[in-house]
Amino acid sequence: MAGNAIKNDFIYIVLVKAHTGLGKVSRVLSGGYEYSHIAVCKDDRFEDFITFSRRRHYAPFDAGFMHETRGCYCFGTHDRVKLKVFRLPIDLRAKREVYHFLRHVERQQDKYLFNLYSMVTMPVLHGFVIDGAHNCMSFVGKVVELSGAVRLARPYYRYDIRALDALLAPYLYTERYFSDRSYWCTSDRGAQMLPGYMDRVSLRENIRLFLRLNKRLLSRIRKGGRDAGCHI
């Protein structure tokens, strides 16, 4: 990230119509709402999607901070992906705050957990904080808050993807299909191609990852990590 200096006046919020099984389930449960994933891009090339997501396609509980690329969304029989992009204007102060937040999370990524509990209970509890944990919605919601482009009527972590879609409507930049299969997911910006991203993961391994994530999240909660004031 250090090599990508602050050089523009916009930040891009990208909604993704994900081709994953969870994405398909989400569309059914939401009554057909298309988008089930959300990320941040620093420029309009839309090649580096900064978010919280799975690190391997077939391991949904092996998740955390990620630099995704279009190759994460175009796979198998899917040679394109539908994106809805919002371009948020940000002044120099806001840009510094946004970039500081992104750098902080990336540098501390090994300490950050994926906030699975807030994600799966979002329709009922409308989001809650676990210290040192994010999902794609809370992570992007924090960026939106720091941008200062819009006024949030509730805490950033209480916005789901559809609510962010509505909130950012005045800043719609484009909504269309993108096709690119030349890029692959990386866990660090500028890293080599991540091997094994599309490898199958056994049920046993997924159960192990699920139990490990739950153990770590419950430990954070027991230590009092649901204080919104300590969340970054």
Side-chain angles (χ1 to χ4, degrees):
M1 267 193 177
N4 190 11
I6 296 173
K7 59 184 179 181
N8 58 40
D9 298 312
F10 301 97
I11 197 82
Y12 298 85
I13 306 300
V14 183
L15 278 58
V16 182
K17 184 179 179 181
H19 296 304
T20 61
L22 290 176
K24 294 174 183 177
V25 170
S26 173
R27 283 188 281 278
V28 171
L29 295 178
S30 65
Y33 178 71
E34 290 187 282
Y35 300 101
S36 58
H37 187 45
I38 190 167
V40 176
C41 287
K42 291 182 178 180
D43 56 51
D44 59 3
R45 292 178 299 173
F46 308 122
E47 295 173 358
D48 179 28
F49 301 83
I50 309 170
T51 188
F52 270 64
S53 184
R54 63 184 72 191
R55 298 186 178 98
R56 291 178 286 172
H57 179 74
Y58 294 105
F61 305 112
D62 180 13
F65 178 85
M66 280 287 290
H67 283 279
E68 295 179 316
T69 63
R70 282 183 238 164
C72 298
Y73 311 138
C74 301
F75 55 87
T77 61
H78 304 290
D79 59 1
R80 62 180 188 163
V81 62
K82 189 174 183 180
L83 304 178
K84 187 173 186 178
V85 182
F86 301 92
R87 186 173 73 167
L88 306 189
I90 51 176
D91 59 25
L92 182 59
R93 178 196 59 78
K95 187 180 296 185
R96 285 172 175 163
E97 291 188 7
V98 168
Y99 277 53
H100 172 75
F101 171 68
L102 297 177
R103 285 193 300 268
H104 169 81
V105 177
E106 180 160 20
R107 288 169 179 169
Q108 301 291 322
Q109 62 181 280
D110 292 342
K111 298 180 181 179
Y112 273 85
L113 303 179
F114 186 82
N115 193 345
L116 176 68
Y117 296 163
S118 181
M119 184 185 76
V120 299
T121 62
M122 196 72 179
V124 178
L125 300 181
H126 307 295
F128 60 86
V129 164
I130 297 176
D131 187 27
H134 276 294
N135 53 52
C136 65
M137 294 175 286
S138 65
F139 178 74
V140 174
K142 184 65 178 179
V143 170
V144 170
E145 179 186 63
L146 291 173
S147 76
V150 292
R151 182 184 295 274
L152 276 64
R154 52 186 183 270
Y156 68 89
Y157 55 86
R158 292 192 177 276
Y159 282 83
D160 62 13
I161 294 173
R162 179 177 272 180
L164 287 169
D165 188 344
L167 179 69
L168 302 179
Y171 297 105
L172 180 63
Y173 181 66
T174 187
E175 184 176 17
R176 63 183 178 88
Y177 283 92
F178 287 74
S179 178
D180 191 329
R181 300 182 63 176
S182 62
Y183 297 93
W184 287 90
C185 297
T186 58
S187 57
D188 298 288
R189 181 172 174 80
Q192 296 297 315
M193 186 183 298
L194 185 67
Y197 178 77
M198 292 300 296
D199 287 356
R200 294 283 178 175
V201 178
S202 69
L203 176 60
R204 181 176 181 176
E205 174 67 2
N206 271 317
I207 291 173
R208 185 188 71 80
L209 292 168
F210 174 73
L211 293 175
R212 185 181 71 173
L213 177 57
N214 276 271
K215 180 180 179 180
R216 298 180 71 188
L217 287 171
L218 290 171
S219 176
R220 294 277 176 95
I221 292 173
R222 284 195 296 269
K223 292 176 181 177
R226 284 185 57 177
D227 175 13
C230 66
H231 198 231
I232 186 169

